[in-house]
């Protein structure tokens, strides 16, 4: 059962543009939603995370938007740069659950 | 502050063999989780350890086992290796009061021939 669905599978954006990646979850018990960035041959790096008591969280060029009623959340990367080219994973977990459920990943390519 | 480290970086084994992977958690973290990441997929949770005991397990067979040591480092053991075990094995550390906030190591790439 795919508990976290991520789209698109791949994304090409011009330098300076906005990259948007979407995720949907099924389990209403989830209450922690992180995004990870992974470069080839490296482990995932925690980028930004949100809990459902807020609808938006911003850290630098990265913003998470959260829609609890729709059970959806998204990552926006503003002013995308070639160095942002990587695979991005959304994930979900229960508070204190310890088990992260990951989406399938989105391969982002930012063209100069 | 040191991050999560894993060893070895790469490993080649043959079907039926056994393998041990190692992880040192980030300083100040007492909980370790292991994930398997197949090529082109998201990581899949194997299990989590806290105070040297398994504290949650994903949908993996018993031939996947682990240990945690008093210094919070951890091992992942896989017996009777199968071709499908070829993957990137990731270790993540966290604090028990925020187990869901996990920081990953660089992983061990295992190839089973």
């Amino acid at each position: 059962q795919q508990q976290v669905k991520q789209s698109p599978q791949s994304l090409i954006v011009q330098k300076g543009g906005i990259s948007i990646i979407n995720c949907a979850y099924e389990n209403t018990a989830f209450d922690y939603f992180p995004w990870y960035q992974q470069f080839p041959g490296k482990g995932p790096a925690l980028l930004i995370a949100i809990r459902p008591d807020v609808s938006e969280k911003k850290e630098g060029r990265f913003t998470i938007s959260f829609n609890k009623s729709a059970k959806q959340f998204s990552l926006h990367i503003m002013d995308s740069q070639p160095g942002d080219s990587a695979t991005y994973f959304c994930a979900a977990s229960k508070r204190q659950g310890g088990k992260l459920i990951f989406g399938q990943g989105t391969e982002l390519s930012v063209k100069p | 502050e040191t991050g999560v480290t894993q060893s070895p970086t790469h490993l080649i084994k043959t079907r039926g063999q056994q393998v041990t992977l190692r992880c040192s958690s980030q300083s100040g973290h007492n909980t370790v989780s292991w994930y398997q990441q197949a090529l082109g997929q998201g990581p899949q949770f194997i299990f989590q350890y806290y105070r040297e005991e398994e504290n949650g397990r994903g949908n993996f067979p018993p031939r996947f086992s682990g240990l945690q040591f008093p210094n919070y480092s951890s091992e992942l053991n896989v017996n009777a290796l199968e071709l499908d075990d070829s993957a990137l094995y990731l270790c993540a550390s966290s604090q028990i009061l925020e187990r869901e906030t996990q920081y990953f190591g660089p992983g061990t790439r295992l190839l089973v021939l």
Side-chain angles (χ1 to χ4, degrees):
Chain A
Q1 184 184 13
Q2 183 69 32
Q3 294 192 56
V4 179
K5 295 183 180 179
Q6 183 172 345
S7 62
Q9 191 173 358
S10 63
L11 182 61
I12 299 175
V13 173
Q14 290 297 122
K15 179 183 175 181
I18 302 173
S19 303
I20 302 174
I21 305 170
N22 301 298
C23 281
Y25 62 97
E26 298 170 1
N27 190 340
T28 55
F30 290 151
D31 57 5
Y32 174 74
F33 304 91
W35 285 90
Y36 284 85
Q37 178 190 58
Q38 187 175 30
F39 292 103
K42 305 291 185 183
L46 180 61
L47 204 55
I48 186 173
I50 197 168
R51 298 190 189 274
D53 50 344
V54 296
S55 60
E56 186 174 281
K57 183 174 181 180
K58 183 176 180 180
E59 289 184 3
R61 296 185 295 110
F62 301 93
T63 300
I64 299 180
S65 296
F66 184 79
N67 186 328
K68 188 173 182 178
S69 60
K71 293 188 287 184
Q72 296 176 345
F73 58 109
S74 61
L75 176 69
H76 292 63
I77 306 175
M78 312 299 288
D79 187 26
S80 298
Q81 299 297 312
D84 296 330
S85 298
T87 300
Y88 292 80
F89 291 96
C90 64
S93 173
K94 301 175 190 178
R95 187 184 296 266
Q96 288 300 327
K99 173 183 178 179
L100 289 171
I101 307 295
F102 283 84
Q104 291 295 93
T106 295
E107 189 174 352
L108 172 65
S109 177
V110 181
K111 300 298 185 185
Chain B
E1 180 180 286
T2 55
V4 179
T5 60
Q6 293 186 242
S7 64
T9 56
H10 295 82
L11 204 51
I12 300 175
K13 292 285 188 178
T14 56
R15 194 171 48 183
Q17 285 188 313
Q18 177 265 343
V19 68
T20 297
L21 310 181
R22 295 177 176 82
C23 170
S24 291
S25 60
Q26 183 170 314
S27 80
H29 286 180
N30 52 20
T31 302
V32 173
S33 304
W34 285 92
Y35 291 80
Q36 180 195 66
Q37 186 177 23
L39 204 60
Q41 303 292 317
Q44 299 286 318
F45 176 77
I46 303 175
F47 42 55
Q48 185 179 82
Y49 276 82
Y50 171 64
R51 285 190 175 178
E52 304 173 50
E53 293 197 359
E54 190 178 287
N55 186 37
R57 187 178 184 94
N59 190 26
F60 280 81
R63 60 188 185 85
F64 286 78
S65 63
L67 286 172
Q68 186 182 32
F69 302 98
N71 66 353
Y72 308 127
S73 66
S74 177
E75 287 182 355
L76 166 65
N77 298 289
V78 187
N79 294 321
L81 283 167
E82 301 177 358
L83 298 180
D84 284 349
D85 294 334
S86 295
L88 180 68
Y89 287 86
L90 296 161
C91 167
S93 74
S94 57
Q95 297 176 346
I96 191 60
L97 293 181
E98 275 197 29
R99 274 178 282 173
E100 65 276 19
T101 305
Q102 298 180 10
Y103 298 89
F104 284 83
T108 294
R109 175 72 63 186
L110 173 65
L111 177 61
V112 182
L113 301 177

